[in-house]
Amino acid sequence: MEVYINSISAISPQVTFTDEKLLQELKEYDGVRYLKCIEPQYNEFIDPMAARRMSRIIKMGVCSALKCLKDAGVTNPDAIITGTGLGCIEDTEKFLISVYDNEEKLLNPTPFIQSTHNTVGASIALILKCNNYNNTYVHRGFSFENALVDSMMFLLENHSKNVLAGGVDELTTNSFIITDRLGLWKKEPLNNLKLLDYKSNGSLAGEGAAFFVLSNLKNENSIAKLNYVNTFYKSENISETENRLSDIIRKTVGDIGKIDLVIMGMNGDMFYDENYNHLRKTLFNSIPCAYYKHLCGEYDTSSSFALYLASRILKEQIVPSVLRLDEKPIKDINNILIYNNLRNVNHSVILLSSC
């Protein structure tokens, strides 16, 4: 069965929600250690009274999802499937702070209710009055990929027409401070467009929300075809990773020469990026390569932003120079491979092609 991406929408640190051409208005951030989303005017998609009770991540997820459905001409999807690494951090913080400040007495239940990981998917369903299948995956770096796999299985098993799938994560001041203590982020402020020039450990923190309407029916607005999603946990060494990727390519497209572009999850961390650099010199040495985390930052479901970019590239047949890692010639773009890993633990592969 074939799965088509019929609509996409993303809220990110770039102007992706309203742009007509991919990365036409490029946002450069200088002297930063993290990237925050450019939030749109929510009034067009969310009732202002309802929005007052929503945290940032809920508003970003709901708004992105509703725009995605609107662009696809879908009023009620057959399923809503989301992925998130850490869920609604802001509401979780509010609840825990109120527990401490009020000595566990007279607590406001709203932050607790909205702190659960499935709040975004549930909020979308409540607004749409959608009683269909609704599920949220919380598997760190595999969260969005598992949402995609479930979406593809749902379309196959139920012969449904439309599934809304998405990945969403937020960054708060407190979560940044805590993860910074773990050494996840670069210590020096930097320019995001020069992320790979900083030869040090740590990455650039980020956040985002991206949604897709997936269908087993192709239409005149179909953007791309989602062919394959796979994940594997850890690797003993780079050779094992290379062998796994080689097997996946052989089983899917047959010959690596059929891959027109590889989008990698390089995040500026000198230690982990060495694996990507090795693959560029070996398995992908003849394939044009690109990267994306300098535009959105590092977060658990950042691969959803990569899928958004890849879909736009296939539709528009242009690879913006800001994404390029090399100057290898690119003609027609028919097949794109997305390879991402989160700290060399969660490895994921997404293969998509033009319709």
Side-chain angles (χ1 to χ4, degrees):
M1 185 200 71
E2 296 181 328
V3 175
Y4 297 94
I5 301 175
N6 287 344
S7 180
I8 58 177
S9 177
I11 295 176
S12 73
Q14 299 298 318
V15 186
T16 51
F17 191 74
T18 57
D19 64 331
E20 296 182 359
K21 185 177 180 182
L22 180 60
L23 301 178
Q24 183 176 18
E25 185 180 345
L26 185 64
K27 288 294 182 180
E28 180 177 4
Y29 299 87
D30 196 27
V32 298
R33 297 182 64 200
Y34 56 81
L35 301 179
K36 302 282 281 187
C37 285
I38 300 172
E39 297 183 60
Q41 294 292 327
Y42 295 116
N43 294 349
E44 181 181 351
F45 295 93
I46 307 174
D47 178 74
M49 293 299 294
R52 289 179 58 189
R53 297 187 293 272
M54 295 180 179
S55 62
R56 286 180 65 250
I57 187 174
I58 299 175
K59 287 189 287 187
M60 289 193 300
V62 168
C63 189
S64 179
L66 295 181
K67 182 178 185 296
C68 191
L69 290 170
K70 180 181 178 181
D71 291 346
V74 176
T75 56
N76 204 331
D78 299 291
I80 299 172
I81 305 175
T82 56
T84 180
L86 295 174
C88 304
I89 304 176
E90 183 178 308
D91 283 307
T92 302
E93 291 176 357
K94 287 180 181 179
F95 174 71
L96 293 176
I97 290 172
S98 68
V99 168
Y100 178 80
D101 290 343
N102 296 292
E103 298 179 347
E104 304 181 18
K105 302 174 184 176
L106 302 174
L107 303 178
N108 181 359
T110 303
F112 173 73
I113 295 170
Q114 294 187 341
S115 68
T116 55
H117 292 76
N118 64 340
T119 304
V120 173
S123 299
I124 297 168
L126 286 170
I127 292 174
L128 297 175
K129 295 181 174 58
C130 177
N131 298 318
N132 297 326
Y133 179 80
N134 195 315
N135 203 4
T136 297
Y137 286 88
V138 189
H139 294 166
R140 296 301 300 271
F142 289 158
S143 301
F144 176 64
E145 286 77 3
N146 283 331
L148 285 181
V149 171
D150 192 16
S151 300
M152 297 171 76
M153 292 174 61
F154 187 89
L155 288 170
L156 175 63
E157 295 173 359
N158 297 277
H159 303 289
S160 301
K161 295 181 180 179
N162 297 291
V163 171
L164 177 68
V168 55
D169 272 299
E170 70 174 333
L171 180 71
T172 67
T173 300
N174 288 328
S175 67
F176 177 80
I177 292 173
I178 292 171
T179 50
D180 187 35
R181 291 174 180 173
L182 301 176
L184 300 185
W185 316 123
K186 291 191 180 297
K187 299 302 180 183
E188 72 276 20
L190 51 82
N191 183 300
N192 70 308
L193 299 185
K194 300 178 181 178
L195 179 60
L196 300 186
D197 294 338
Y198 298 86
K199 306 300 181 182
S200 60
N201 293 336
S203 182
L204 177 67
E207 62 177 9
F211 277 82
F212 309 82
V213 170
L214 306 179
S215 177
N216 47 17
L217 299 177
K218 180 182 178 181
N219 59 43
E220 65 277 5
N221 296 319
S222 294
I223 298 170
K225 184 164 62 174
L226 183 61
N227 296 321
Y228 183 80
V229 181
N230 197 354
T231 60
F232 56 94
Y233 182 72
K234 291 187 176 180
S235 287
E236 291 186 4
N237 50 53
I238 186 59
S239 296
E240 182 182 347
T241 300
E242 185 177 346
N243 290 335
R244 284 176 178 266
L245 292 174
S246 181
D247 287 341
I248 289 172
I249 292 171
R250 178 175 53 82
K251 292 176 182 178
T252 52
V253 297
D255 179 24
I256 193 171
K258 294 181 180 180
I259 303 293
D260 301 302
L261 179 68
V262 176
I263 299 180
M264 295 181 163
M266 301 178 75
N267 66 2
D269 189 311
M270 184 175 61
F271 181 77
Y272 296 112
D273 279 357
E274 186 57 35
N275 293 328
Y276 292 108
N277 290 325
H278 174 84
L279 292 170
R280 287 180 59 200
K281 297 175 183 176
T282 55
L283 184 62
F284 303 133
N285 67 321
S286 62
I287 309 299
C289 294
Y291 74 124
Y292 65 93
K293 289 181 181 176
H294 59 311
L295 302 182
C296 68
E298 176 70 282
Y299 55 98
D300 289 342
T301 55
S302 68
S303 54
S304 62
F305 183 72
L307 182 60
Y308 168 85
L309 292 177
S311 301
R312 293 286 300 269
I313 289 172
L314 285 169
K315 185 69 173 179
E316 300 175 25
Q317 287 294 300
I318 295 177
V319 183
S321 59
V322 70
L323 301 176
R324 297 291 302 270
L325 282 167
D326 54 56
E327 297 181 358
K328 294 173 184 173
I330 301 177
K331 296 181 180 179
D332 296 334
I333 307 171
N334 295 311
N335 295 294
I336 296 180
L337 177 74
I338 301 171
Y339 167 60
N340 180 51
N341 79 67
L342 185 67
R343 290 182 284 280
N344 207 27
V345 174
N346 303 110
H347 299 255
S348 67
V349 178
I350 302 174
L351 180 65
L352 64 162
S353 62
S354 56
C355 294

